[in-house]
Each structure stands twice: as structure tokens, then as C-alpha cells.
Amino acid sequence: MIKKQHLFSIVLLVIFCFSCNKVSTSRTSIAFDKLLVNSKKNPTTLENQQPLFSWIANAEGFNKSQSAYHILVASTEDKLNEDDVDIWNSEKVKSDKSTFIKYEGKDLQAMQKYFWKVKIWDEQGTASKWSSIQEFEMGLMDVENWSNSKWITLNKDKRTSEHRFRGYKRGNMKKAKPVNGFAASYFRNEIDINKEIENAQAYICGLGYYEMYINGEKVGDHVLDPAPSNYDKQAYYVNYDITEQLQSGKNAFGIILGNGFYGQNISWSRDPESNKKGVSYGPPTVRCLVKLSYTDGTSTDFYTDENWKEATGPIVFNNIYGGDTYDARYELGDWNAVGYNDAKWGNAKVASPQVKKISASQIPPIKKLKEFEPQKVFKGADGEWIVDFGQNIAGWVKLNVKEKEGQLIEIITTEALLTDGSDVFQGSTGGGANGMAQIYKYICKGDGVEFWEPKFSYHGFRYAKINGISTKPDADMIKAVLVATDIQETGSFTSSDELLNKMHSISKWTIVDNVHGIPEDCPHREKCGWLGDAHAFCEYALYNYDMYDFYKKYMEDIRTQMRPTKGHNNPEIKFQVPTMIAPGKRTSTYAKIDWGVATMYLPWYNYQYYGDDAIVKEYYNDMKGLTNFYLNYKGENGIMQDGMGDWCPPSWDRRKNPGAMECDPIISANAYFYDVLGIMETFAEMNNDKVYKAKMKAEKEALITAFNKEFLVEIPDTNHKWYQSQTATVQALQFGLVPEQEIENVVNGLVHDIVEVKDGHHSTGIHGNRYIYTVLTAYGKGDLAHEILTTPDFPSQAYVMSKGFTTWPERQFEWEKMEGPTNSLNHPMHSGFAAYFYESLGGIKSSKDKVGYKVFTVNPEFPSKLSSTAVTVPTPYGEIKNDWTVSEGILSMKLEVPFNTKAMVVLAPKELETLKINGESLEEFQKSNEAIKEASNVILGSGVYQVQYLKASK
């Protein structure tokens, strides 16, 4: 495997030099499929002065590529031509680059719309037509552009409902104490519009979750807006085009403001690993600016200030962990409509929250994505109704009920039932860690059928236990709503093995449930962005979803989470180091190596998958400083004396069974760090930092020597070697730490432990489980990889599935031996292994030199029990598709290579001998098509190919 990767890198220059001169087989026209700015179609609220232009094109035939491009940007559509263009004319640029091309025109102005188009030339010099006209719009860009708008907050908490309190009780408390948190606040104001509106834009920043209304109707379809951040350093605003919602004459604006994470002042407030001053940033606060442009050329601003009215209302309690309590008896009527009598309302209080920077949100918003009807309804042991929605989700329930005035309806949401099925099992949703059990409460007003759903909290659950209702719940009464960041699913995997297909589904569900503006660890107990969890599932997420902006935003969360930290060996030196969690004031400790490497891995993966180096250059100094911090842990033996550990291996419990973590945390951390040193060597080169590149190379060489000296050992009574655990051995093989002459011995050592010692099972936590199936397959042990994945007994992924879980649990326990499934049952750190479905079974990986799938390898490696696999891999150039079947040893692939890219089909010499492309031998195919043979591999340009060869066994 290592030799093939090395050969691949050497061949890249040959590929591109050769392909530029090769005659294409087709002169068909070029069509544009997508035209993007900053990876978005017609985006609004851009805030960088150098947006990035990309396009996905398509052309029939083979070996089609781009040789030049020409971009025009103008202030109006009329000027978008070569004679009148006034903002940027790139002229014709000879380049095959079609992604992330940096704008180099005049300074872009805040809140201005621009128009652009592009044309390209193919490899023969034939020009396309100009693309359709696209547009992009700038955001506020500077705090001064917020005009005279002010932050406003609730002046007085006027809640009187007896239901405004909840019980707060952590595991070590004898009894619950009543808490009510900050009140949800309602704001309103009216504006009289007496001119014809040409355009109206609203810009709103909530410090806490908000919902905005105009004339009684909600603005937009976002919920739980905006995404969490380190609010004092970086807050996010959202822009809405409200032109169509406004009317001539009076218009009413309303805002409801909840706590979100900003005002969350109950859970974790006394946590020993959190901010000692509490985890809240203060009372929820909001700022809104509406810019009105009229057809007569004039404009006005309307904004939040002390003239807005405020009140409390029916949301009498809201906490991101505990849930919402809604007392319908305190509803405010048509409070967000014109003409409402707000004489009893007070005036909003002008606030001065600590906010260093406000930027436009660039990530997809959180939305209501899907509804679930009850799959089963039954009575628990206590006679209360329990609803099973069939899928563990993140979100809330919505109700349609008809009960008497003052009737309390209480919904307890949980992930599981007791093992005997007699009742719900609250487990990690019961508040033992954060003090707030997951409960929704609704108090009826009693005037007919009442509809309600929460606004300012989300839970992780599959089951809902309901009390306070007089009839059996059904789909008309209650539904579950999936609520998550609306990341777009762009990749796909399916195979002949339904068990693997189900694992893929579970892995995706576990990610979707855990993206709420940050990559969470779980959607209930903590809702925290643990760095180790984030990098554990990152690559699998990138195969499946458009995560381009998501991880950029999270990198800013990590950066703003950094704080001065003393060096280990040199405490007189302070480094900027993130905490284990980002963002927020619940921090845990400084980020140990195997968690903190997310700071380097996330830009690396983003760069590898998308090919945009902006994230690398933006965070280079932060990554460099953190690398130096970890080097300050180097001991006399050359090993960094730091590490958190291979989290959650089978049967592990850090208090009751810590020995189940077989891998020494120091070993797994140093394996990661070796890989990161190589990444930082590449990053240094990209940033023209020759001194640091040399330093990284030297540190890497020193660490591999020390690592093997300290950790590579012989396995007694065998001829095998390993690194003292499955996880460390897998990491060493994955990251290239194993001396070449020892690879066979080490692979055999890993197999020995799996087969002979563990009876065909893994013993890995999140560090090892990410790579174990990929590594075994790469070294010719694909059948063993499949076996340990699918063996029905504990521990295995198949065992977990056999217990009815629809998301991956945090812990690997023998569930049938327990009262109920403890800890989180929805932890995406365990989804990382499923990258194996794409990189091994599908066989698609980007080149590390021509990143972003400009060049990619095609090398399906699979177990003998698998007869087919189909993958779609999203790339900045279009979709790569590989749909293969195998019969009697003959592998047949339908391979789709996007325009302007190349695929290296990786073949063994014997496979090359039997190769057929589109029904022809390689020699025949080459007579009329470009297909470069380098050693035993074959490089193909764009097009759709039928590739067939006799699959060799390793």
C-alpha cells in the first residue's frame, strides 16, 4: 500500500504533462452544472473581500478538461459584458483551475449585489458559451453598518405562572432545587410605510435563540437560530429578504427571544470542569436592523432600540437541556400583528453585551427536517402512555390536544426503555449529569383543540411518555420532529450486504442528530463540541454531506476557545491552546493531544476533500502554536507525555472498569501526533515556512524512531509483533509508523490478537475503530474486517444493531445484562469507522497532491462475501460514481470520472493483464483514447467507463 501511494505521487506530473497534449475523443459543447461563490449558489451576506469562484462543468466524451477561464463581475446585469464590465474582468487566464478562484477586482461594498458569469476553454482550446448570469450579495461587513440599531433585552421578568420553575438535581444532590432561568422575552414595534418598497432586508443577531415575525407571520424557516459560538468573541447574524412580507401602511414586527446556550445559566454551572463564574454569558439579548429601499431612490432604517415594547408571555421556562414549558393561559393574543394594544407592555432595556465581533452566518441553518408518527403506543407499568417513534432523533414533539383549562400535559422524552420494556429508561436523558431531565410541559387554556411545539430547546429521544391526557395518543395528537442543521446529503453508499447498508444508515443518523451549528458529542446530556469526537467522524461526514462551511465555522469556534496555557516542560512559556470542548464556557481541561489534533485534522480533511487552501492559511499560525505546545510535552525518551485515550472501547468504564482501555493513552496520542507532524510539514510548505517545514521533518523522524523503540514489542510465543493493543497497531499501520521490514510481522500480530486472543472481535475505542476495517482490508485481511464488523455477538457493530439501536451508543456494553442502556445512545464519534464503506469498499480516495479529487484513486478492496457496491462521492468537480459487481472473480466497474479530473485505477500486475476498458483491451482502448499506463496502474480522464479485470487476492 505504501509503495502504491508513493508511486501515485511521482506519477502526477507525468499525468498532467501528457494529458495536455493528448487529443480528446470529443468536441461536444461544454455545459455548466453549477456556478458557485464561496461554495454557494447565489449567496447573500458574504463578508470577505475576496470571494472564491467555482464551477462544475460537464462535457460528453472522454478526457475532457479545462485549459482556461474568463470571469466577469459587474454591478448591474447590463454591464456584465466585456465592454462595460466595471468590477472585475479577469481576462482569459490559462489554467485548469475551476475551483476556489480568488476574486481580484475592485473593493466590494457592504450590502451591494453583484453579477457574474464565466466561460471556459477545453483541452483543445474550444470555448464554451458564457454561463448563465449569477449573483452574490455582500453582508454588513462592518459593525458601523449596523446603523443606529441597539441591543435590547427584557427589562423586567414578569412571569407569574406556577409552572415557571423546574427541578434541578444532579446525581450527587439529595433533592432537587427549583430553578427558572432567564425568562423568554417578547418584543414588538410597528412601522408605517407610505412609499412603494423596492427591497427590504432584515439583519438580526440573537444572543440566545430568536424567532422574528412580521404582521403575525414568522420570518424564514430557521429554528434554534443562530448557531452557538463563543459569543463574547464571535457572534453570528442572519439576513432575511422580507420585501414580500411587508405591506403598504402599518407593519408590525415581533421578536421572541429564548436562552439558547447564551443564557443557559442552570446546567453545568457548578461543573468542576466548567467556567468557575458560570456557563451563561448573560440575559438573552437581540439586535435587529431593517433596511428599506424605495422605488423613488430613497431609503430608511428601522431597528431595535429603547422604543420597542417588551413583555413576558406563555413560554414560562426554557432551557436548552431541560426543555420548554408553555402555559397557554398566558398567551398574548395577536401580539405580533398591527394594532395590538401594548399599553401594559414595558419598554425594552438597551443592553451592552460583550461581543467582540459579529459576522454573517455562513453555515446552513437549523431547520425542522422531518416528522415521525408513532410506530407503537402502549401503557407503561404506571399506566401512563408511552409512544415509540421508531427512530432515535434530535428535536422535539408537537402536540394537538383538547383538555380542560389548567391541565398540565407532561412529556418525558427518552432514548430507551427498560430492558424488560415496562417503562421508559431515562439514562443520560434523566439529568444526572446536567441536572435537567428532558421534559416538555404544556398547560392548556381549555378553549378547544390546542396546537403547540417548542421553540427554544431540543432533545435526543425515541420515546415519549405522556401524562395529563384523557385519550390514547395517536398521530393526530403527537408527532416527533427532527431538528438539525440542514446539511445537504451529497454522497451515497449501498452494497449487496444489507447489514452494511444498515450500518451506513445508522452512522448517518448518528451524525444528523448531532449537528446543531457545531459537531456535538450527543444531543441531550451534554450537547458539546468535544474536539476528539469531531475529528473521529469528520471524514465520514465529508463523504456524505456538504460540510465545507460547517467545519470552517467550527475552526473559528476552536480558535476563539483558545486561551493562554503554560508549557509542560517550559512553564515560563505560554501557548494559545484550545480546551477539550469548543465553543462555550463548559470547557473541561486543556485539549489533550488526541483531542486537540482536531485543530490540525479539520483543516487537513477540509483541504483534502475540497481542495481549498484558505482554511489552511487562515489557521496556520494557530496550528503551528498548538503543535509547539504539544512538542513541549516531549520526554527524555522522545515521546510526548500527554494523551486522553482510546475512548469507549468494549466494556470500558472509567470508574468501574478502566482497564478495558487496552491502549495506553500516551501511545495512541503519539501515533496521532506523528501523523499531524507530517500534516504540519505540508502546511508549512504551503505557507512558505521553510524553517518550520524542516523542523517538522526532523521531529517526525525523531518520533518514529522513539515510537518504535518504546512501543513495538514481540508477542510472546509467536513470531509476531505489535504495538501492545489493537488500536495502537492499527494507528501505526495507518499512519506509516511501522518499519517496512516489520509490516508483515505487525499485520500478523494484529490478526493474532483479533482471532486468537479476542476470538474474532475488536477491542478498539474511537481512535482504533476509525481505521481498523480500512487497515485490515488494505493489508489483505478484508474477510477478517467484515467478520469483526458483522459477527452477531459482543462486541461488534452488528451486536449493537441486534439490540434495536437506531443510532450508535456512546458505550460498548452487553446491553441485555443491564437494567437499561446507560449513557448516551447517540454518539457520532462511533460513526467514523464507516468511512471504510467509501475508501475501501467503494475504493475512492483523493490524491494528497492534487487535492479535492482533482486526481483520485479507484481501488475497491472488499471481503469475499460482498458481490456489489455502489458509491457516489461528491467533489468540487462533480460526482464521482463507482458501481461495481464481482462474479467468478471478475470485477466489473461502471466508473464516472467528472470533467476536469483524472482517476488512477490501481491495479496489481496480474490485474492489468486482464484489464478491459469499455470492452477493449488496454492496448486497443489506447489507440483511440487517452489512458496512461504507469507501472501497473491506469490513469483515465473524464468520462463514463466500463472497467473489468480479474481481481487478484492479496
Side-chain angles (χ1 to χ4, degrees):
M1 183 179 71
I2 294 172
K3 286 183 177 180
K4 286 182 178 178
Q5 289 175 344
H6 180 63
L7 178 62
F8 185 22
S9 300
I10 293 173
V11 163
L12 289 176
L13 281 175
V14 177
I15 296 172
F16 279 89
C17 292
F18 185 86
S19 64
C20 289
N21 298 317
K22 186 77 177 184
V23 176
S24 170
T25 60
S26 173
R27 298 185 67 88
T28 54
S29 61
I30 299 167
F32 291 102
D33 291 340
K34 286 185 180 179
L35 297 146
L36 308 170
V37 180
N38 285 8
S39 207
K40 299 182 183 70
K41 181 177 174 60
N42 296 329
T44 60
T45 60
L46 298 185
E47 297 211 317
N48 55 325
Q49 277 290 352
Q50 290 190 300
L52 303 172
F53 296 86
S54 304
W55 47 87
I56 294 175
N58 192 21
E60 293 180 3
F62 301 109
N63 308 303
K64 304 296 291 182
S65 60
Q66 176 187 296
S67 62
Y69 66 81
H70 188 178
I71 300 172
L72 297 179
V73 180
S75 59
T76 66
E77 287 191 55
D78 292 341
K79 293 180 179 179
L80 196 61
N81 60 76
E82 292 181 71
D83 294 328
D84 302 317
V85 65
D86 60 340
I87 303 299
W88 184 38
N89 183 349
S90 73
E91 304 292 350
K92 182 178 180 180
V93 179
K94 291 184 177 181
S95 172
D96 68 348
K97 188 172 177 61
S98 58
T99 62
F100 308 110
I101 294 167
K102 190 176 293 185
Y103 170 83
E104 294 181 349
K106 296 179 180 178
D107 285 350
L108 300 171
Q109 303 303 309
M111 296 170 284
Q112 295 299 306
K113 182 180 288 186
Y114 297 94
F115 302 86
W116 73 284
K117 63 183 180 180
V118 63
K119 73 174 176 179
I120 64 175
W121 287 259
D122 68 12
E123 75 291 341
Q124 299 179 44
T126 303
S128 72
K129 295 179 181 179
W130 283 102
S131 71
S132 59
I133 295 174
Q134 305 294 300
E135 59 191 50
F136 63 92
E137 191 168 348
M138 305 307 292
L140 295 173
M141 298 183 76
D142 192 288
V143 68
E144 294 179 1
N145 290 323
W146 279 90
S147 183
N148 293 319
S149 65
K150 297 177 181 179
W151 295 103
I152 59 172
T153 190
L154 189 68
N155 216 337
K156 186 178 181 180
D157 183 353
K158 300 175 184 177
R159 289 175 291 176
T160 58
S161 169
E162 66 270 29
H163 297 288
R164 68 188 184 276
F165 295 100
R166 290 281 188 98
Y168 173 78
K169 184 177 183 295
R170 292 191 64 184
N172 58 353
M173 295 171 64
K174 292 183 179 180
K175 65 178 183 178
K177 72 171 186 176
V179 293
N180 62 357
F182 292 120
S185 44
Y186 293 71
F187 302 96
R188 73 177 310 275
N189 203 350
E190 294 186 12
I191 183 175
D192 196 354
I193 298 174
N194 52 21
K195 295 183 181 182
E196 185 178 353
I197 295 174
E198 181 177 353
N199 184 269
Q201 299 292 323
Y203 305 88
I204 182 167
C205 179
L207 300 179
Y209 292 143
Y210 73 87
E211 286 193 353
M212 183 164 69
Y213 297 82
I214 297 176
N215 299 326
E217 298 295 326
K218 184 182 172 182
V219 176
D221 59 355
H222 303 189
V223 297
L224 304 176
D225 222 15
S229 64
N230 288 305
Y231 301 95
D232 52 344
K233 301 179 181 71
Q234 174 68 72
Y236 293 99
Y237 74 87
V238 178
N239 165 235
Y240 298 97
D241 185 335
I242 57 172
T243 308
E244 298 301 319
Q245 282 189 259
L246 296 177
Q247 60 193 21
S248 178
K250 287 188 177 295
N251 291 265
F253 282 76
I255 298 172
I256 311 177
L257 188 61
N259 288 310
F261 288 97
Y262 182 89
Q264 198 288 113
N265 62 351
I266 298 174
S267 295
W268 308 112
S269 291
R270 295 188 178 182
D271 180 58
E273 293 186 344
S274 297
N275 190 300
K276 293 181 180 180
K277 296 181 180 179
V279 295
S280 168
Y281 293 84
T285 306
V286 67
R287 187 178 194 178
C288 181
L289 169 67
V290 176
K291 298 196 76 70
L292 301 167
S293 300
Y294 303 109
T295 56
D296 66 0
T298 61
S299 62
T300 58
D301 292 346
F302 176 66
Y303 41 78
T304 48
D305 60 13
E306 62 276 8
N307 295 313
W308 282 56
K309 292 299 188 75
E310 56 84 28
T312 54
I315 302 175
V316 296
F317 178 88
N318 74 103
N319 179 272
I320 193 68
Y321 295 98
D324 291 18
T325 298
Y326 188 95
D327 193 335
R329 298 171 298 175
Y330 291 84
E331 287 182 343
L332 300 169
D334 295 328
W335 67 277
N336 49 21
V338 171
Y340 178 78
N341 183 1
D342 57 14
K344 294 184 179 180
W345 288 41
N347 283 84
K349 178 182 178 181
V350 173
S352 300
Q354 182 181 351
V355 180
K356 184 177 181 180
K357 185 180 179 182
I358 310 174
S359 303
S361 178
Q362 302 296 332
I363 67 172
I366 298 173
K367 293 184 179 182
K368 295 185 284 186
L369 300 179
K370 187 176 181 180
E371 291 188 355
F372 295 81
E373 295 186 350
Q375 300 300 300
K376 183 180 179 183
V377 179
F378 60 97
K379 282 190 175 183
D382 59 359
E384 300 293 352
W385 290 108
I386 296 172
V387 177
D388 177 3
F389 293 104
Q391 174 63 49
N392 199 10
I393 67 166
W396 54 61
V397 295
K398 67 177 188 178
L399 297 176
N400 277 297
V401 294
K402 184 178 181 180
E403 300 292 347
K404 65 184 179 181
E405 181 181 356
Q407 177 66 48
L408 169 64
I409 298 173
E410 187 175 81
I411 306 103
I412 299 171
T413 54
T414 74
E415 295 188 285
L417 301 175
L418 292 169
T419 301
D420 64 12
S422 63
D423 204 347
V424 295
F425 180 74
Q426 288 188 273
S428 64
T429 65
N434 63 42
M436 296 297 296
Q438 289 190 163
I439 302 174
Y440 286 120
K441 295 185 179 184
Y442 181 82
I443 299 90
C444 299
K445 57 187 174 184
D447 63 352
V449 177
E450 302 174 43
F451 167 80
W452 176 72
E453 62 182 323
K455 293 187 184 297
F456 298 133
S457 60
Y458 63 96
H459 291 167
F461 68 100
R462 172 176 171 172
Y463 301 92
K465 183 176 183 178
I466 314 170
N467 60 56
I469 54 175
S470 56
T471 59
K472 181 180 179 179
D474 58 16
D476 291 330
M477 179 189 290
I478 187 168
K479 289 183 175 68
V481 184
L482 170 66
V483 177
T485 299
D486 190 20
I487 52 175
Q488 296 301 299
E489 185 173 350
T490 49
S492 66
F493 163 84
T494 187
S495 76
S496 57
D497 189 329
E498 284 304 315
L499 205 55
L500 300 187
N501 298 341
K502 185 66 181 297
M503 289 179 193
H504 176 55
S505 176
I506 291 174
S507 299
K508 289 191 300 177
W509 266 114
T510 314
I511 288 177
V512 169
D513 286 349
N514 285 282
V515 284
H516 294 93
I518 60 172
E520 293 168 322
D521 65 324
C522 60
H524 34 65
R525 183 186 69 208
E526 298 183 65
K527 306 180 197 278
C528 286
W530 286 88
L531 271 62
D533 303 48
H535 77 76
F537 72 83
C538 178
E539 287 187 279
Y540 178 66
L542 288 165
Y543 270 122
N544 284 286
Y545 303 101
D546 181 355
M547 305 293 284
Y548 174 79
D549 286 309
F550 189 85
Y551 283 123
K552 281 192 167 186
K553 184 266 178 188
Y554 190 59
M555 277 303 298
E556 192 62 19
D557 292 331
I558 294 175
R559 170 192 271 170
T560 54
Q561 194 75 0
M562 289 182 169
R563 66 272 325 271
T565 307
K566 293 179 180 179
H568 182 266
N569 295 338
N570 300 96
E572 72 278 7
I573 302 175
K574 286 192 175 181
F575 301 86
Q576 287 295 113
V577 180
T579 57
M580 295 283 282
I581 300 169
K585 291 190 176 184
R586 183 173 181 237
T587 59
S588 188
T589 66
Y590 75 92
K592 306 291 177 60
I593 287 178
D594 37 354
W595 260 240
V597 291
T599 311
M600 290 68 110
Y601 272 135
L602 298 186
W604 174 244
Y605 295 148
N606 226 53
Y607 173 60
Q608 285 288 302
Y609 280 72
Y610 296 115
D612 179 16
D613 64 3
I615 192 171
V616 174
K617 294 182 176 179
E618 172 72 20
Y619 296 99
Y620 176 65
N621 287 330
D622 302 289
M623 295 186 284
K624 183 176 175 180
L626 185 58
T627 302
N628 290 338
F629 172 73
Y630 292 138
L631 284 169
N632 207 251
Y633 276 87
K634 186 188 293 186
E636 292 182 359
N637 61 355
I639 298 297
M640 312 314 126
Q641 302 300 311
D642 186 55
M644 183 71 175
D646 184 31
W647 218 240
C648 296
S651 301
W652 175 80
D653 185 291
R654 59 179 163 179
R655 294 184 180 90
K656 298 178 181 178
N657 189 17
M661 184 184 290
E662 295 181 358
C663 183
D664 186 325
I666 299 292
I667 304 180
S668 53
N670 275 267
Y672 272 133
F673 194 55
Y674 174 79
D675 192 42
V676 162
L677 289 172
I679 291 169
M680 288 304 299
E681 184 181 358
T682 300
F683 286 173
E685 183 175 12
M686 292 170 62
N687 284 275
N688 199 30
D689 190 345
K690 296 179 181 178
V691 173
Y692 203 69
K693 178 186 176 184
K695 179 180 179 179
M696 291 297 94
K697 183 178 181 181
E699 292 289 357
K700 188 178 176 185
E701 290 173 354
L703 182 54
I704 192 172
T705 300
F707 190 89
N708 282 288
K709 181 180 179 182
E710 290 291 317
F711 305 133
L712 180 59
V713 299
E714 294 181 353
I715 299 176
D717 303 319
T718 73
N719 294 320
H720 314 317
K721 294 183 179 180
W722 75 331
Y723 292 85
Q724 305 173 45
S725 68
Q726 287 183 19
T727 287
T729 306
V730 164
Q731 287 181 301
L733 288 164
Q734 173 68 23
F735 299 145
L737 278 156
V738 184
E740 188 171 353
Q741 69 274 15
E742 298 286 7
I743 288 176
E744 184 177 353
N745 290 334
V746 170
V747 170
N748 289 338
L750 175 62
V751 171
H752 170 81
D753 188 76
I754 293 170
V755 176
E756 302 298 332
V757 181
K758 302 299 190 312
D759 194 25
H761 293 87
H762 75 272
S763 59
T764 50
I766 62 171
H767 297 338
N769 219 44
R770 161 60 187 93
Y771 300 113
I772 188 169
Y773 312 106
T774 296
V775 164
L776 284 170
T777 302
Y779 286 98
K781 309 298 178 182
D783 283 347
L784 181 58
H786 185 263
E787 179 185 334
I788 61 176
L789 255 183
T790 59
T791 186
D793 52 323
F794 176 84
S796 74
Q797 307 300 138
Y799 167 81
V800 174
M801 291 164 58
S802 73
K803 299 306 172 185
F805 294 112
T806 61
T807 51
W808 298 124
E810 174 186 17
R811 300 297 181 91
Q812 300 183 62
F813 288 149
E814 293 182 81
W815 301 110
E816 66 274 10
K817 297 180 180 180
M818 309 177 75
E819 177 190 16
T822 61
N823 298 89
S824 162
L825 305 184
N826 201 339
H827 247 63
M829 65 184 188
H830 286 302
S831 290
F833 82 93
Y836 155 79
F837 298 146
Y838 290 91
E839 63 193 10
S840 296
L841 304 185
I844 306 297
K845 293 200 72 173
S846 177
S847 157
K848 290 187 177 181
D849 299 291
K850 296 290 183 179
V851 292
Y853 297 93
K854 179 68 172 173
V855 176
F856 57 93
T857 53
V858 182
N859 185 25
E861 296 180 294
F862 48 89
S864 57
K865 291 184 178 180
L866 206 63
S867 61
S868 68
T869 290
V871 294
T872 300
V873 177
T875 84
Y877 302 92
E879 292 181 340
I880 298 169
K881 294 185 178 181
N882 189 17
D883 186 346
W884 63 257
T885 59
V886 65
S887 178
E888 296 181 355
I890 301 294
L891 180 69
S892 299
M893 290 190 291
K894 181 182 179 182
L895 176 65
E896 297 186 26
V897 182
F899 175 82
N900 208 29
T901 69
K902 292 191 179 295
M904 173 180 275
V905 182
V906 179
L907 301 164
K910 289 185 178 179
E911 293 172 336
L912 180 64
E913 292 174 5
T914 62
L915 178 66
K916 288 186 177 181
I917 302 175
N918 293 347
E920 299 178 323
S921 68
L922 178 59
E923 291 74 15
E924 287 298 315
F925 183 79
Q926 285 178 313
K927 290 178 181 179
S928 55
N929 299 278
E930 177 188 321
I932 303 169
K933 182 168 75 73
E934 184 65 33
S936 60
N937 303 320
V938 174
I939 296 94
L940 301 172
S942 68
V944 180
Y945 300 91
Q946 294 290 339
V947 179
Q948 190 178 82
Y949 56 89
L950 181 63
K951 185 69 176 173
S953 58
K954 286 193 175 183

